[in-house]
Amino acid sequence: MSLDDLHLNLRNLTQDDYPQLKQLMDAVYDDIGGAWPQHSIDRLIQEFPDGQIAIEDDERLVGVALTVRVDYDEFSNPHKYDDLVGNREIILNDPEGDAMYGLDVLIHPDYRGYRLGRRLYEARKELCRSLNLRAILAGGRIPNFHEHPELSPTEYLDRVARKEIHDPILSFQLANDFLVKRLLRKYLPEDEKSQGYATLLEWNNILYEPAERVLENRPTQVRVGAVQWQMRESASVESVLQQVEYFVDAISSYQSDFAVFPELFNAPLMGLQDRATQQDQLAAIRYLAGFTEQFKTEISRMAVSYNINIIAGSMIEVGEDDRLYNVSYLCHRDGDVEKQSKLHITPQERREWVIEGGDELRVFETDAGRVGILICYDVEFPELGRLLADQDMDILFVPFWTDTKNGYLRVRHCSQARAIENECYVVLCGSVGNVPSIRNLDIQYAQSSVFTPSDFAFPHDAVLSETTPNTEMVIFSDLDLTRLTVVRAEGSVTNLKDRRKDLFDLRWRDWSWKSGARQEES
């Protein structure tokens, strides 16, 4: 048959289709009794019309998938085919069932080779997602098992999985992302080719949300506004905070969930000292740290007032040990404030400002996803991003400050690598401008960007949005968290899932003893 002669149409089965359906089932299932009686099919169509899917070619029925709804807990455990059937061959459909059960998939012999079975399976999966059902279950015959009397059922399944043996049903189901959950005995006793055995197969709906949790779930669409901040001479603390509030107001007016600022965005406040005083860089950075508590309080107020979560770039904090730390504050819109210290300190920060690295790394739970923060240099260490990804991070924020383009490109390329290898969004936010009157602020280079995994669901270059280089502006991006769920489970490649944990692992050391929380071993 020529492809030019095909005129395929996917639709739901109707009761008028029964004569053709009977012919198809009698031909395909001649070894196990043939077609269901008409009253069984009619009732199935009445009770679950969306689950009965047909493919026709010029009104000729050439493919069918029959499906019922079932209780997952009952049918994910050992059962028999007869458990699906009541008196008078009535197929037992549970309208409150939280899973679908694949009864039959039939393709007309003349139409095999056109992958119509795959179309039917994809239609089933789409229906499962749209109905928010937990999974698709199926009892799969293994009709070629009788040809291998030297093998046990489990050995046969293993050989089919390794593609050493082809089974027309099991091989097809494995190729369509179904997993063998268990071996079923005496599933269909009259199936002599399978010798009564079957596989219980499952396709898991990764987007399933239990009904009782729907109201609790975070949104799947998250809007982020990132400020490419202009470093400028400032006359007062109030003028800088006024500029921050201007951007927060603007970003929140677009119903954004996050506003993001760059690393050390308030550094120009060192210029409030006279030029001679600034020459002592350690004194200058401690002077800057004196404004941090005020900024943290005011930005937290803005987060609540404007109903937006704010990644407050980073600021210098004097720790309880009187040492200096470069700290990013996450100001939640409910008033909570959490922080992430920079862990890796650049040579310049150590040399000029004697800044210390923090010793904690965490993922923050927000009302718009699970987020991590790596400040500038930290994103160049891939272990940190992977540790965050292992805690189910959705969005990685990278506030940064670079003076030259080559420094910026280190941060950019490493950020893009983190998005790809950890299958997450990365929001890169930096500062621009020149402040010659302040040491270490004389030049900046930035092009703030939002990076994505590199797969079909995302932009072709894995860049969702980016600013004009070296220009003060705001970029907005809508991040679809559902796409992350799908790419992690069903992407062209699945970086997180495919790691060889049998060969290597990664762990975070326990440094709690530094604060006295952990007793030294005797």
Side-chain angles (χ1 to χ4, degrees):
M1 182 183 302
S2 169
L3 288 173
D4 294 336
D5 296 330
L6 292 178
H7 300 90
L8 301 176
N9 178 42
L10 186 74
R11 61 172 175 81
N12 288 117
L13 199 68
T14 71
Q15 294 178 358
D16 293 338
D17 292 316
Y18 183 76
Q20 289 196 66
L21 175 62
K22 184 179 187 310
Q23 289 182 356
L24 183 58
M25 295 191 79
D26 284 340
V28 174
Y29 291 153
D30 62 309
D31 58 335
I32 54 171
W36 288 97
Q38 183 167 359
H39 70 268
S40 302
I41 298 299
D42 288 349
R43 180 156 177 174
L44 191 59
I45 292 172
Q46 291 170 5
E47 293 188 352
F48 189 26
D50 291 340
Q52 319 320 316
I53 305 167
I55 297 177
E56 63 180 357
D57 179 25
D58 281 337
E59 300 184 358
R60 180 189 185 189
L61 201 65
V62 297
V64 172
L66 303 178
T67 315
V68 292
R69 288 181 66 159
V70 296
D71 178 77
Y72 176 85
D73 289 336
E74 178 181 355
F75 283 91
S76 61
N77 286 302
H79 62 275
K80 299 178 180 178
Y81 193 74
D82 285 348
D83 295 331
L84 293 160
V85 183
N87 294 329
R88 298 184 62 248
E89 296 190 83
I90 297 299
I91 303 169
L92 301 178
N93 178 72
D94 180 359
E96 302 300 320
D98 59 352
M100 291 166 54
Y101 196 104
L103 288 171
D104 298 292
V105 170
L106 309 102
I107 304 298
H108 194 286
D110 293 345
Y111 286 78
R112 290 172 185 168
Y114 294 112
R115 301 196 175 204
L116 302 189
R118 183 177 295 273
R119 294 195 192 198
L120 293 170
Y121 269 59
E122 290 302 319
R124 263 186 185 164
K125 293 175 185 177
E126 185 59 36
L127 178 61
C128 185
R129 291 190 181 106
S130 67
L131 295 176
N132 189 36
L133 299 179
R134 184 169 173 175
I136 302 174
L137 300 169
R141 300 168 59 211
I142 44 176
N144 281 4
F145 179 51
H146 72 284
E147 299 177 0
H148 299 273
E150 75 282 4
L151 300 178
S152 69
T154 53
E155 289 172 335
Y156 180 79
L157 300 186
D158 184 59
R159 295 279 296 274
V160 173
R162 297 204 307 265
K163 297 187 177 181
E164 296 172 3
I165 295 175
H166 177 79
D167 185 277
I169 294 179
L170 180 56
S171 297
F172 173 75
Q173 290 164 322
L174 294 176
N176 280 276
D177 302 321
F178 278 73
L179 299 177
V180 176
K181 191 174 181 69
R182 66 175 75 248
L183 181 69
L184 299 174
R185 291 173 170 81
K186 299 181 180 179
Y187 179 74
L188 199 62
E190 61 269 32
D191 181 7
E192 295 180 358
K193 292 182 178 179
S194 303
Q195 298 183 15
Y197 289 104
T199 55
L200 176 59
L201 296 121
E202 178 175 344
W203 176 82
N204 181 41
N205 177 13
I206 59 175
L207 304 180
Y208 169 68
E209 294 288 356
E212 62 271 17
R213 290 180 49 199
V214 169
L215 294 179
E216 302 174 6
N217 290 336
R218 62 179 186 246
T220 58
Q221 297 288 332
V222 176
R223 180 165 294 173
V224 173
V227 181
Q228 187 156 283
W229 177 267
Q230 173 85 33
M231 292 284 200
R232 51 171 63 84
E233 293 186 2
S234 303
S236 66
V237 176
E238 290 72 26
S239 65
V240 178
L241 285 170
Q242 184 179 26
Q243 188 71 5
V244 171
E245 188 157 7
Y246 161 77
F247 282 117
V248 170
D249 185 6
I251 294 171
S252 69
S253 68
Y254 285 92
Q255 289 77 50
S256 296
D257 297 289
F258 291 97
V260 191
F261 289 86
E263 178 184 21
L264 297 181
F265 66 96
N266 67 347
L269 290 175
M270 288 187 288
L272 296 180
Q273 298 178 300
D274 60 60
R275 184 74 172 175
T277 306
Q278 290 179 43
Q279 298 311 302
D280 184 344
Q281 281 291 285
L282 184 56
I285 202 69
R286 282 188 171 268
Y287 174 78
L288 179 64
F291 300 113
T292 296
E293 192 62 33
Q294 181 181 357
F295 268 76
K296 184 170 64 172
T297 300
E298 283 299 303
I299 293 175
S300 179
R301 175 192 62 79
M302 296 176 202
V304 175
S305 298
Y306 292 95
N307 189 29
I308 189 171
N309 302 299
I310 302 175
I311 308 295
S314 78
M315 293 175 272
I316 301 299
E317 177 182 273
V318 180
E320 294 180 0
D321 54 5
D322 199 43
R323 297 179 179 181
L324 299 179
Y325 297 89
N326 187 349
V327 177
S328 179
Y329 297 100
L330 168 55
C331 299
H332 295 260
R333 50 183 153 201
D334 65 2
D336 286 344
V337 178
E338 299 180 283
K339 69 179 184 180
Q340 174 65 61
S341 297
K342 191 173 186 177
L343 305 180
H344 296 87
I345 304 304
T346 64
Q348 182 272 331
E349 288 175 295
R350 284 198 306 269
R351 182 176 59 250
E352 299 279 350
W353 294 333
V354 197
I355 291 177
E356 302 274 346
D359 54 23
E360 292 185 358
L361 178 71
R362 55 177 297 204
V363 167
F364 302 98
E365 189 74 49
T366 76
D367 57 11
R370 292 174 60 82
V371 308
I373 303 171
L374 294 179
I375 303 172
C376 197
Y377 194 32
D378 277 341
V379 82
E380 298 179 30
F381 297 83
E383 300 87 350
L384 299 182
R386 180 51 50 85
L387 287 165
L388 293 171
D390 282 340
Q391 300 176 61
D392 298 324
M393 173 186 63
D394 300 310
I395 307 168
L396 175 61
F397 292 102
V398 183
F400 75 95
W401 174 21
T402 53
D403 52 358
T404 62
K405 187 172 183 179
N406 61 340
Y408 161 73
L409 289 176
R410 285 196 301 270
V411 176
R412 178 188 177 94
H413 293 325
C414 289
S415 295
Q416 193 155 24
R418 303 298 83 84
I420 292 170
E421 68 199 14
N422 296 309
E423 297 168 325
C424 66
Y425 293 105
V426 177
V427 180
L428 189 64
C429 182
S431 57
V432 300
N434 307 310
V435 191
S437 63
I438 302 175
R439 186 173 170 181
N440 292 321
L441 268 73
D442 43 357
I443 58 173
Q444 332 282 319
Y445 188 99
Q447 184 178 22
S448 302
S449 309
V450 178
F451 301 125
T452 73
S454 186
D455 213 325
F456 293 113
F458 304 98
H460 71 94
D461 57 358
V463 179
L464 191 59
S465 60
E466 57 188 351
T467 63
T468 302
N470 294 335
T471 301
E472 185 171 57
M473 61 184 295
V474 176
I475 55 169
F476 292 94
S477 294
D478 286 336
L479 314 182
D480 187 342
L481 303 187
T482 300
R483 292 187 178 185
L484 296 182
T485 304
V486 174
V487 78
R488 289 167 182 169
E490 302 174 359
S492 300
V493 294
T494 47
N495 300 71
L496 290 177
K497 190 165 66 173
D498 293 338
R499 281 178 295 163
R500 288 289 305 277
K501 292 185 178 181
D502 58 321
L503 300 180
F504 59 86
D505 60 15
L506 181 65
R507 63 185 176 88
W508 181 261
R509 288 184 176 175
D510 182 4
W511 290 106
S512 57
W513 59 269
K514 293 180 67 176
S515 60
R518 187 179 73 180
Q519 298 296 321
E520 293 188 16
E521 296 180 0
S522 58

